[in-house]
Amino acid sequence: MGEIVVVRDGSGPDVLLVHGGAGPRTTWGALAPLAARWTLGYVHRRGYPPSPPSQKRQDFEVDAGDLAPLLVGRPHVVAHSYGVLGTLIATAAAPDGVRSLTLIEPPLNHLVPDDPEVARLERIGDAVLTHGMGTDPDELREFLRLAGAPVGDGPLPESVVAGVRRAHGSRLTSEARPRLDVIRDAGVPVLVASGGHTSALERICDALADALDGERGVHPGAGHFVAAAEGFAERLETFLRSLV
């Protein structure tokens, strides 16, 4: 299928950045100053140029296969949203290949069973991936706002529509069951971060930190794009420096 592209910038220990539904520039732009002290590897997931297109659909199992060879150098890995799923699967397959994990607002809804708000988040997320622009308009806008898209009351921006169409048909996040126990038992250092903008995601992140014996951080102000929130870059660097 062809290898995915990683654009590297900076000098110092390797930090691999794995985006989710939005591209690397939108997701990680606020972390660019860290390149003064770290080598930032901006992963472009399949379907996000200049990486090759997806053959059929976005798929976290395919992401895991793409990420596996990138772990040979034992980088720190920072992953966001849908990108967390492939990251966790790849890490569970080779936990010694990861120096640390920073995980930001992943759609691991199964970690909080019997919670109505989490169940609704999963339902509308699956609906958008299944039906794309054919999703109920109110639910589509609700999901897009939670996902950090610039959505107002008028027509959806062309860039947002393009993102929905790219996600249409993706493998459902509700199917993901990464082996968190393997990662925890391997002693991989973990930081789980969220943006304090919706209670369902806060509870998911709390449960993930508990399952991985990880540290927990909440950085409000940038919605789902937590990496852009005030204080996140400093918190991330403090975490990474504690492991060098």
Side-chain angles (χ1 to χ4, degrees), residues 12-14 37-38 76 99 237-244:
D14 287 334
R37 296 170 295 279
W38 307 84
H76 298 282
R99 186 165 300 182
E237 189 162 29
T238 297
F239 173 65
L240 299 179
R241 284 190 178 279
S242 73
L243 304 168
V244 172

Side-chain angles (χ1 to χ4, degrees), residues 211-226:
L212 293 174
D213 290 335
E215 299 182 25
R216 183 75 172 87
V218 181
H219 300 273
H224 188 47
F225 292 105
V226 180

